[in-house]
Amino acid sequence: MNNLYRKTFDEIHASEALRQEVLNMTKQERAAAKRQIPRMLLIAAIVVLVLAGTALAAAAPGIRQWFSQQWRAETGRPIHTDQLGLIDQLSDAVGVSARSGGVTVTVDSVTRGENVIWFLLEIGGDLPSREELESRLKEAGELPEDGPSSDATAGCLFETVELAFDPAVLGEKSGYCLSEEQAGVRADGAMMLLMEYQPLKGNRSLLEAAAVTMELSGLEMGITSCDTTVPVPGGPWELAFSLPAMEPPPSQTKAAGPGQAPGVVPLNRSVTYGESLAMDPPARETMAFQDIRVTPTGFTILWSDPEQTTRLFPPPGLWYLVMEDGSELRADPQGAVYDNLPGGQRATKYRWPVPVDLTRAASLERRYKEERQSFPLN
Amino acid sequence: MTEHTFTAAAERHLDMVYRIALNWFRNPADAEDAAQTVMLKLWQSDTEFADSEHLRRWLARVTLNVCKDMARSPWRRHTVPLEELPEPSFSDEERRAVYREVMALPGKYRVPLYLYYYEGYSVSEIGELLRLNASTVQTRLARARGKLKVTLTEG
């Protein structure tokens, strides 16, 4: 075995905190042993949201329907019509297409927030049928012995996505997160794909006017219950279109005001960038914020002490938007990075998975183990 | 499973569970989350293990299943720049470079690579664990080696 590879992974260990958590499991009743560490959304893994293919295919999904289904999946409640109206306000029809190898890719529409943009793509033309996909996967020995599950649909992904905005949204040394999600199959066999783009440490709002160029290549298709795909000929597909400036929707800002304790977000660990997360013993340090600004597509925490942000990771925990009807929307913990703002300030940004009607929001909450912090809205 | 047996299993295998999850997610926090779920399943399990190898393989399989469940499936591709993820500390830069190179590989290569080169599973055993053909495992290992600047040699 390769010595260097082994020596590298020899140095990787579970943290002492995890070790203790695991060893403490024996002190709990087996049946009642509950997890103390909340499950965190993935930020670097491949996840899926498989939609009920047949029904969705008949409905010819658009971006409104996509967000409706997302809202129900996240909150367990139907989406309110006012919220759909907000989504309409944040969306632009595009209708630009490119064709290669018999396959046509169309940018159907775009929905935007300050720090996030969703593209709804339609992929149609000479695509392999479901039967052909299954046959190719079976030949490659990739189909499970009992075949694909009955609710699995055909799915597609692009291996490479190049996106550029003019004016640029990315500053020097900034990256972005890009997600591709299956958004259903139309009755005519066209695939719908939702692409979500979030600049990290971006230097301008995505609501501003911009020219967008998108180059897609490496189209793959498969059956969504099987994690192997087959390549589809064609590409690259190059698309160019313009987005008009959009008026920012109303937002709410919660400042740490007089008479109120500074916005304290207790940190359970004190760690330094470049060092192991397994600091033992863990130290407590509080991070004060100046204000939290909540928008329909996410929220931003502006930190009071930029120096702390050079030493500490953002506070652990999950953030929720609690609605007046009791439903809850969990924020994407994408905000594990710090944005540099003018004047040396630092902020962390979080995203809602669905644009939200803030007039129906009751509070913003942070939860970490037994800790609860609530910031009332409206 | 007795408390004694569980404690011994945790001491012996928690790092393996964590490393498999870390190769899956790249993010230490998610890897810890998965590892805790796996160990809880072990503690709550009624499985009688024939020997330590049986237990090790059970843990590897459950870890992979938990990772898949947490990921829900591989059909939503979500890419985050590697430099935005926390990384473990290393005693020298060469090992840090290897780690970064490995973590820059696509997920479908990282896990077979770890199972083969670190845990010593055979191609067919990895195929069983990942529910892939042995030939697919071979291909992924070969592609992983091709993408890594660090040369991984046999033996």
Side-chain angles (χ1 to χ4, degrees):
Chain A
M1 299 210 185
N2 180 267
N3 277 340
L4 185 53
Y5 181 91
R6 283 195 67 87
K7 284 177 182 172
T8 298
F9 278 88
D10 276 344
E11 295 200 28
I12 295 172
H13 303 283
S15 70
E16 189 53 37
L18 174 62
R19 205 169 291 279
Q20 287 305 318
E21 195 81 46
V22 168
L23 294 176
N24 283 341
M25 283 176 186
T26 59
K27 297 181 177 54
Q28 301 171 45
E29 290 293 331
R30 278 186 166 82
K34 281 189 175 182
R35 301 192 62 257
Q36 299 300 311
I37 299 174
R39 295 183 70 163
M40 299 177 73
L41 288 177
L42 305 169
I43 64 170
I46 301 175
V47 301
V48 89
L49 189 66
V50 176
L51 305 177
T54 313
L56 192 61
I63 205 142
R64 258 186 164 219
Q65 185 163 354
W66 163 260
F67 283 125
S68 296
Q69 288 168 329
Q70 285 286 88
W71 181 263
R72 184 176 277 284
E74 295 280 343
T75 67
R77 311 263 178 132
I79 199 167
H80 198 276
T81 50
D82 288 351
Q83 194 170 345
L84 287 173
L86 169 73
I87 290 168
D88 286 343
Q89 282 177 44
L90 298 177
S91 301
D92 296 291
V94 176
V96 165
S97 300
R99 186 172 175 86
S100 171
V103 175
T104 301
V105 177
T106 303
V107 179
D108 176 88
S109 57
V110 157
T111 304
R112 290 183 274 168
E114 289 180 8
N115 301 307
V116 62
I117 184 166
W118 291 275
F119 301 91
L120 183 65
L121 304 182
E122 177 191 303
I123 298 104
D126 295 341
L127 298 174
S129 65
R130 172 70 180 252
E131 291 72 29
E132 192 181 332
L133 278 176
E134 286 190 25
S135 169
R136 286 169 71 178
L137 289 169
K138 201 172 280 185
E139 266 177 40
E142 299 291 351
L143 215 54
E145 281 181 14
D146 51 358
S149 60
S150 58
D151 60 351
T153 63
C156 69
L157 293 165
F158 288 98
E159 184 73 36
T160 306
V161 178
E162 306 271 358
L163 255 182
F165 294 79
D166 181 17
V169 298
L170 297 179
E172 203 179 308
K173 294 183 185 175
S174 57
Y176 60 89
C177 289
L178 185 74
S179 293
E180 297 174 66
E181 300 203 38
Q182 306 308 305
V185 182
R186 278 207 319 232
D188 63 0
M191 318 284 302
M192 306 302 289
L193 185 69
L194 195 88
M195 204 166 281
E196 180 189 300
Y197 173 88
Q198 276 180 269
L200 299 175
K201 301 174 185 173
N203 59 6
R204 52 182 284 274
S205 167
L206 288 168
L207 296 176
E208 296 173 21
V212 182
T213 53
M214 182 186 284
E215 184 175 303
L216 307 167
S217 57
L219 178 61
E220 303 168 7
M221 280 188 69
I223 309 291
T224 53
S225 63
C226 173
D227 67 355
T228 301
T229 55
V230 295
V232 176
W237 293 267
E238 297 176 5
L239 301 120
F241 50 95
S242 296
L243 293 175
M246 186 181 283
E247 192 65 33
S251 62
Q252 295 197 30
T253 300
K254 306 303 295 181
Q260 181 185 2
V264 164
V265 186
L267 187 69
N268 207 33
R269 301 172 177 171
S270 177
V271 296
T272 306
Y273 279 118
E275 293 188 3
S276 171
L277 288 175
M279 296 279 287
D280 183 30
R284 280 189 80 88
E285 182 171 344
T286 56
M287 291 181 77
F289 69 85
Q290 201 168 296
D291 63 47
I292 300 179
R293 191 167 74 88
V294 187
T295 75
T297 53
F299 65 98
T300 301
I301 305 174
L302 182 63
W303 299 106
S304 300
D305 182 358
E307 185 276 334
Q308 266 189 321
T309 67
T310 65
R311 290 186 294 108
L312 304 174
F313 286 112
L318 295 174
W319 292 82
Y320 291 82
L321 192 66
V322 182
M323 308 304 287
E324 285 170 347
D325 65 2
S327 57
E328 298 181 348
L329 188 68
R330 189 166 66 176
D332 180 349
Q334 179 57 45
V337 297
Y338 290 109
D339 256 26
N340 296 321
L341 301 181
Q345 292 188 306
R346 302 260 274 177
T348 45
K349 296 176 182 174
Y350 297 78
R351 178 188 68 77
W352 307 125
V354 180
V356 183
D357 178 7
L358 289 181
T359 63
R360 297 179 182 278
S363 63
L364 176 68
E365 292 188 6
R366 174 184 166 267
R367 301 171 191 168
Y368 179 64
K369 295 189 179 182
E370 304 79 28
E371 295 169 10
R372 292 283 187 274
Q373 283 181 289
S374 182
F375 305 93
L377 298 172
N378 290 314
Chain B
M1 172 165 282
T2 66
E3 183 176 335
H4 172 78
T5 311
F6 175 79
T7 301
E11 294 287 0
R12 189 166 179 186
H13 298 298
L14 180 59
D15 280 346
M16 176 194 74
V17 171
Y18 174 70
R19 288 171 188 145
I20 291 174
L22 185 63
N23 272 282
W24 188 286
F25 294 124
R26 300 194 305 168
N27 182 344
D30 295 334
E32 289 209 338
D33 206 35
Q36 190 180 18
T37 300
V38 171
M39 298 313 289
L40 185 60
K41 285 181 181 291
L42 176 65
W43 175 234
Q44 293 174 335
S45 164
D46 293 328
T47 306
E48 296 279 338
F49 297 103
D51 52 36
S52 63
E53 183 53 34
H54 181 197
L55 168 63
R56 189 174 84 107
R57 192 169 301 203
W58 185 95
L59 282 170
R61 183 176 295 115
V62 169
T63 304
L64 293 167
N65 288 340
V66 165
C67 290
K68 271 191 192 173
D69 286 345
M70 283 176 67
R72 282 178 274 170
S73 105
W75 276 95
R76 173 184 165 189
R77 186 165 289 163
H78 189 97
T79 313
V80 176
L82 188 58
E83 56 271 17
E84 301 294 351
L85 293 170
E87 65 180 31
S89 60
F90 292 96
S91 59
D92 67 39
E93 273 308 309
E94 192 178 26
R95 293 175 194 182
R96 184 192 309 278
V98 169
Y99 177 81
R100 286 180 177 173
E101 247 190 88
V102 170
M103 290 298 150
L105 294 173
K108 62 184 177 184
Y109 300 147
R110 293 194 302 268
V111 173
L113 204 67
Y114 176 76
L115 293 173
Y116 186 80
Y117 282 105
Y118 196 91
E119 296 299 334
Y121 285 109
S122 69
V123 164
S124 59
E125 287 171 330
I126 295 171
E128 272 179 43
L129 286 168
L130 294 174
R131 297 193 187 132
L132 297 172
N133 276 352
S135 59
T136 304
V137 174
Q138 288 277 29
T139 301
R140 291 187 183 184
L141 287 173
R143 287 183 181 161
R145 284 193 294 267
K147 285 177 180 288
L148 285 178
K149 294 193 185 70
V150 170
T151 303
L152 294 174
T153 55
E154 302 295 325

